[in-house]
Amino acid sequence: MPFRYDPGELGPQEVEIGVSHCGICHSDLHLIANDWGISQYPFIPGHEVIGTIAAVGADVRSLTVGQRVGLGWQSNSCGECEWCIRGMENLCPAIEGTCVHRNGGYADRVRANARFVIPIPAALMSEHAAPLLCGGITVYSPLRAHGVNPSSRVGVIGIGGLGHLAIQFARVFGAEVTAFSTSAGKEEEARALGAHHFVNSRESKALKEVAGTLDFILSTINADQDWATYIQALRPTGTLCFVGVPPSPVAVHAFPLISGLRSISGSPIGSPYQLKEMLDVAARHGVKAQIEPFPMAKANEAIEKVKKNKVRYRAVLAN
Ligand code: NAP
Ligand code: ZN
């Protein structure tokens, strides 16, 4: 039975989007399972939305009915705090999530504050653009923030929805890219996406061989690992950055951090301005998600396939 709800009156700063596509991010699976203890049921997942504006609130001037737009993880912020004023709305303490505080995008319609609804460049096809709204921005933002450039050697751990976009963006920034994967069968595709090197992370010998070779490692996996090995893979001043959420605390020795001036960090999605920039970079440099399409009615089937790590590389639901 499809779930129906009455969204009430459209707020003056909100827009309503008629959903055409919605990507399946692994965060949706975490939320369905209440892994983070924040889910409320009945729960409508979905935060990689593409669609067209169906209605605009009374005060919205930036968007018009019929325009093609995207909406990611964040759907509102306070608009007044230091972080909002600095253009870092994704750090606002009053952040609202598209499918956490609201009803998400596995749906016909979805609503958000207009500041978080981004026009989609004409060069991007909707099904290829949907995964950029969360997966894309989540990897773009830290690569950019950490100054990845043609002299950088970048590692990407986990070649799933986020990871396959991270390889592409790291290449666009000119870096030498190493893919770390538990799936030997992904090597050829990882190289086709732009990876120069492929390391099977189940082979401890292969992992040891990359010791001291990387400036920036982005972990996109949702599993525990021997993080010490990845810290060892960093060159002095290098950073291991988490965007994927492993279930256990990350326990590492301080000495390799101290001796090599190495850092561990994390990064949450990106701001609306960065979303615009990322979409423009994707359009100009041909970054696009490799997708498996599913009809919206087959969402459960698609989710099962994501859970089994069988999707290459992003499942996208279409209405
Ligand atoms: P995904 O498409 O399912 O990809 C995850 C990849 O991790 C898999 O393709 C697999 O890559 C690897 N992996 C899976 N299970 C593993 C295991 N047991 N051991 C080692 N590697 C394993 O997921 P996603 O949508 O990219 O999301 C990844 C994580 O990022 C999730 O935790 C999600 O919640 C998080 N996330 C964070 C943010 C943020 O703002 N920080 C935003 C979006 C998502 P290989 O086959 O190559 O090993
Ligand atoms: Zn997501």
Side-chain angles (χ1 to χ4, degrees):
M1 273 281 284
F3 175 70
R4 289 178 189 282
Y5 67 95
D6 177 0
E9 226 170 278
L10 188 65
Q13 278 145 22
E14 286 185 326
V15 298
E16 185 163 292
I17 302 168
V19 178
S20 67
H21 297 85
C22 187
I24 297 185
C25 174
H26 211 107
S27 299
D28 290 332
L29 278 68
H30 289 301
L31 289 168
I32 290 167
N34 198 19
D35 285 345
W36 301 333
I38 57 168
S39 307
Q40 283 176 13
Y41 304 95
F43 170 63
I44 305 182
H47 57 272
E48 288 186 346
V49 175
I50 303 278
T52 50
I53 300 282
V56 298
D59 296 344
V60 175
R61 302 278 171 272
S62 56
L63 298 164
T64 50
V65 170
Q67 194 174 357
R68 189 172 67 131
V69 292
L71 169 67
W73 173 264
Q74 187 173 5
S75 53
N76 205 356
S77 71
C78 80
E80 291 168 355
C81 70
E82 175 187 348
W83 308 104
C84 286
I85 288 166
R86 287 171 66 176
M88 301 161 95
E89 293 91 334
N90 51 321
L91 305 183
C92 173
I95 184 169
E96 268 179 36
T98 299
C99 62
V100 179
H101 305 88
R102 293 161 176 263
N103 293 313
Y106 298 6
D108 297 325
R109 298 282 180 104
V110 75
R111 287 181 176 183
N113 181 292
R115 286 185 293 126
F116 294 86
V117 176
I118 317 290
I120 302 297
L124 299 176
M125 281 172 69
S126 295
E127 54 267 55
H128 294 139
L132 297 174
L133 273 302
C134 177
I137 189 63
T138 298
V139 299
Y140 178 88
S141 173
L143 290 169
R144 193 78 166 69
H146 288 270
V148 168
N149 66 70
S151 79
S152 311
R153 301 157 180 93
V154 169
V156 177
I157 312 176
I159 311 308
L162 268 58
H164 92 291
L165 293 169
I167 292 175
Q168 295 181 59
F169 279 120
R171 265 312 282 262
V172 166
F173 292 149
E176 182 171 303
V177 183
T178 301
F180 294 90
S181 176
T182 59
S183 309
K186 291 182 181 176
E187 173 162 4
E188 203 174 306
E189 282 165 328
R191 288 184 188 277
L193 289 163
H196 300 86
H197 313 286
F198 183 91
V199 175
N200 183 337
S201 51
R202 292 200 195 282
E203 291 173 6
S204 52
K205 183 167 165 278
L207 272 181
K208 293 216 172 79
E209 275 169 16
V210 296
T213 64
L214 299 166
D215 299 297
F216 185 71
I217 303 179
L218 191 65
S219 175
T220 76
I221 67 177
N222 53 305
D224 295 329
Q225 299 289 293
D226 177 11
W227 299 114
T229 316
Y230 287 105
I231 304 233
Q232 271 166 26
L234 291 171
R235 283 153 45 86
T237 77
T239 299
L240 169 61
C241 179
F242 287 93
V243 288
V245 190
S248 307
V250 174
V252 297
H253 285 291
F255 199 67
L257 302 178
I258 296 168
S259 62
L261 201 65
R262 298 180 180 90
S263 316
I264 298 179
S265 73
S267 183
I269 50 167
S271 67
Y273 174 76
Q274 285 180 318
L275 269 163
K276 285 193 186 75
E277 182 187 285
M278 178 272 308
L279 288 166
D280 180 45
V281 168
R284 282 194 281 143
H285 295 273
V287 173
K288 68 172 196 188
Q290 191 169 316
I291 66 147
E292 282 189 32
F294 291 85
M296 190 65 79
K298 295 253 165 79
N300 289 338
E301 212 172 279
I303 284 166
E304 282 311 306
K305 204 167 173 189
V306 176
K307 213 181 265 175
K308 292 182 187 137
N309 192 17
K310 288 263 156 60
V311 170
R312 300 289 184 269
Y313 284 88
R314 196 53 133 192
V316 175
L317 304 170
N319 272 319

